[in-house]
Amino acid sequence: MKQALKSCLEAMKNAENYQAWADAAKEYDRLSGNDEWKEDDASPLYDYKMIRLRYNELRTAREREDVNQLVFYINEGLHGNLGRIANPALYGQCCFGTKQLVTEYLQEVCDSLEWICNTEFEDFPFVKKIEFFERTAAAFGQSGLMLSGGAALGMFHLGVLKAMYDEHLLPSVISGSSAGSIMAAVLGTHTDEELDEIFDPEYLYVEAFRTVGWRGTLKGQGVLDPAQLELCLERNVKDLTFEEAFERTGRRINITVSPADPHQESRLLNAMTSPHVLVRKASLASCAIPYVYPPVMLWAKNIDGEKCPYIPSRQWVDGSIKNDLPALRLARLYGVNHTIVSQTNPHVVPFISRKRREKNAVGYLLDMVASNARYNAGQVLEFITDKISNQQLALLLDKTHSIVNQSYRGDINIVPPRNPGNVFKIIANAKPSDVA
């Protein structure tokens, strides 16, 4: 039995697609006895009695074709964490899935919504149906995918995007910072019909990095050549504004940029806040790591469709410095209340576990120590920043404070395997074999 379980874990580790992983995970649950846990409704981890009652009410109303009663039940109970069914502990007991009751309840909610959508009713006219779905969507919220910075390590995002796209799980709201902005820009400027080609490792142009030489570095031009990065963007990202990209693909892409001067705040660029800004330039600015690349001025299209500078008096740098994961802004703009994070920042990945484990006293103590250390460091940096008169030094400290103080996690966190050697790949051009 141990050997069989070990084989399942090995198959999961080496799976090349989701289906292969799922098959191995289900087999592990069958062999280990986890399936018995799934089939038993009872658990202190959630209110199983309430969920069973809700399931029966929804199913009965749908089978009786009582649309008004069904709508009442949905309005009454359509919450993301009803009865604590979103409790993370429920999803850490097995390799695949959770309680069968939870799965059945969620499926019944979906079936009920589809039935209401696809059926005509005399006592529930089309106008009411539209109002119901608009209200339900606003109340329930939606998921957003956030792609972090990480320089060349950001190629990991491509695999995350492909896996989610293949399973029809790709959210329509996507943000990207620094390296993540390139992937968001690629995705947001190509239609679904074009994505199969985009996900081909041979398609993408991955030569993003080229040094400027020591003379250029001494002249303050940065370490890497921005022209090479811009060429990479031109080869991979269509020349569109955020508004044009949304109209073309229906995807709401968002790119964060940080200010290069002390008199600006970070911005989240998208079709709502900056519809006329060019996506390529936004991504170039979001990738402009201070002292590695020079700051970038944004460009836009004017009312005549001609390209022109956007706020020409301002320049922008790496978006991950100020707001790597803009969860609050996505919540305000799109009603995002569930976040999926693909995290590749080398200073963050070592501190995010790839497996969920129950915390013991030591785990909570370590979290408390880390939280206090981060808070104290932030307070010290803020104090020093307020007291010094040198604007450039103050700006540097302000950026450092932002890096220390921001959150780098979401509700679901996807991180690459820890590998100390990744540090040496941060500014190395990827090979097609690295992308495959």
Side-chain angles (χ1 to χ4, degrees):
M1 178 63 74
K2 287 185 178 180
Q3 186 59 41
L5 292 174
K6 186 177 180 180
S7 297
C8 290
L9 292 175
E10 194 67 22
M12 291 167 61
K13 180 180 178 181
N14 298 321
E16 295 185 357
N17 54 60
Y18 174 75
Q19 190 58 54
W21 179 90
D23 290 342
K26 290 176 182 177
E27 180 64 11
Y28 183 94
D29 286 343
R30 186 186 69 82
L31 294 173
S32 65
N34 285 341
D35 282 351
E36 296 176 7
W37 179 86
K38 293 179 187 178
E39 293 167 3
D40 182 9
D41 289 358
S43 172
L45 299 175
Y46 74 121
D47 190 343
Y48 62 92
K49 293 180 180 179
M50 173 194 281
I51 300 304
R52 175 57 68 185
L53 175 63
R54 301 295 307 176
Y55 170 78
N56 291 336
E57 288 175 338
L58 290 173
R59 184 163 186 171
T60 299
R62 183 166 64 89
E63 289 177 346
R64 291 177 177 175
E65 299 187 355
D66 189 344
V67 64
N68 288 294
Q69 186 65 58
L70 183 59
V71 166
F72 178 85
Y73 285 145
I74 291 176
N75 285 333
E76 185 182 49
L78 190 60
H79 300 280
N81 198 16
L82 180 70
R84 293 205 74 203
I85 60 173
N87 181 0
L90 276 173
Y91 303 87
Q93 299 289 323
C94 305
C95 287
F96 186 90
T98 184
K99 290 287 188 181
Q100 187 64 28
L101 173 59
V102 174
T103 303
E104 291 174 354
Y105 170 72
L106 294 175
Q107 186 59 54
E108 181 56 42
V109 172
C110 293
D111 291 344
S112 296
L113 291 171
E114 287 187 6
W115 180 71
I116 294 171
C117 177
N118 298 328
T119 308
E120 294 185 6
F121 309 97
E122 291 184 1
D123 55 344
F124 196 71
F126 183 75
V127 173
K128 277 192 173 182
K129 189 183 292 190
I130 294 297
E131 290 176 353
F132 163 72
F133 278 105
E134 288 179 344
R135 185 174 64 250
T136 300
F140 189 71
Q142 64 176 316
S143 296
L145 175 62
M146 298 188 289
L147 309 175
S148 77
L153 303 181
M155 291 302 296
F156 175 78
H157 298 320
L158 186 65
V160 173
L161 293 174
K162 184 179 187 304
M164 297 185 74
Y165 175 75
D166 287 345
E167 297 302 317
H168 309 288
L169 294 174
L170 196 61
S172 62
V173 178
I174 301 164
S175 75
S177 299
S178 196
S181 75
I182 299 178
M183 295 303 165
V186 170
L187 191 72
T189 58
H190 290 85
T191 63
D192 286 351
E193 291 74 21
E194 296 167 329
L195 286 185
D196 287 335
E197 187 178 45
I198 293 296
F199 290 133
D200 183 346
E202 298 294 335
Y203 176 88
L204 287 177
Y205 180 79
V206 294
E207 299 287 328
F209 304 113
R210 184 175 64 196
T211 59
V212 298
W214 63 271
R215 287 189 178 87
T217 302
L218 291 177
K219 292 178 182 178
Q221 297 175 0
V223 177
L224 299 178
D225 185 0
Q228 183 63 32
L229 177 58
E230 193 157 15
L231 175 63
C232 177
L233 288 166
E234 289 174 358
R235 295 281 292 272
N236 295 314
V237 179
K238 291 188 178 295
D239 191 17
L240 303 171
T241 66
F242 280 97
E243 184 177 60
E244 291 168 343
F246 173 69
E247 290 173 351
R248 188 171 194 270
T249 69
R251 281 184 268 276
R252 302 180 183 276
I253 58 169
N254 302 261
I255 292 177
T256 60
V257 293
S258 301
D261 63 80
H263 304 298
Q264 282 285 312
E265 293 295 328
S266 64
R267 292 198 177 196
L268 185 65
L269 307 173
N270 53 56
M272 295 176 68
T273 63
S274 46
H276 307 303
V277 170
L278 292 166
V279 175
R280 284 179 183 172
K281 285 292 186 180
S283 183
L284 183 66
S286 189
C287 292
I289 306 170
Y291 310 111
V292 177
Y293 288 112
V296 174
M297 181 176 65
L298 297 173
W299 282 68
K301 286 185 180 179
N302 61 23
I303 57 175
D304 297 318
E306 299 170 342
K307 294 179 182 179
C308 62
Y310 183 81
I311 317 179
S313 62
R314 292 288 180 258
Q315 291 183 314
W316 307 88
V317 295
D318 193 328
S320 64
I321 291 175
K322 279 284 191 177
N323 206 4
D324 191 49
L325 306 176
L328 292 178
R329 293 182 180 181
L330 296 184
R332 186 180 73 246
L333 290 171
Y334 309 109
V336 169
N337 56 1
H338 178 260
T339 55
I340 305 165
V341 172
S342 179
Q343 180 58 259
T344 61
N345 273 308
H347 64 286
V348 176
V349 169
F351 302 99
I352 299 180
S353 174
R354 302 184 79 222
K355 296 180 180 179
R356 177 170 180 82
R357 297 183 178 91
E358 289 296 320
K359 284 185 183 178
N360 53 24
V362 175
Y364 280 106
L365 180 62
L366 290 175
D367 279 356
M368 184 176 66
V369 170
S371 179
N372 285 334
R374 188 174 72 170
Y375 174 79
N376 291 333
Q379 291 295 303
V380 170
L381 287 168
E382 188 174 351
F383 174 79
I384 296 174
T385 302
D386 289 341
K387 296 300 180 183
I388 61 176
S389 57
N390 186 303
Q391 283 196 351
Q392 290 302 316
L393 182 56
L395 183 61
L396 176 62
L397 290 174
D398 180 61
K399 288 179 168 59
T400 304
H401 175 263
S402 297
I403 292 172
V404 170
N405 213 39
Q406 62 180 295
S407 173
Y408 291 97
R409 303 186 188 205
D411 296 303
I412 296 175
N413 301 288
I414 307 170
V415 296
R418 295 192 185 101
N419 183 351
N422 285 343
V423 174
F424 302 103
K425 298 180 180 179
I426 291 176
I427 55 172
N429 288 315
K431 302 173 184 177
S433 58
D434 297 328
V435 183

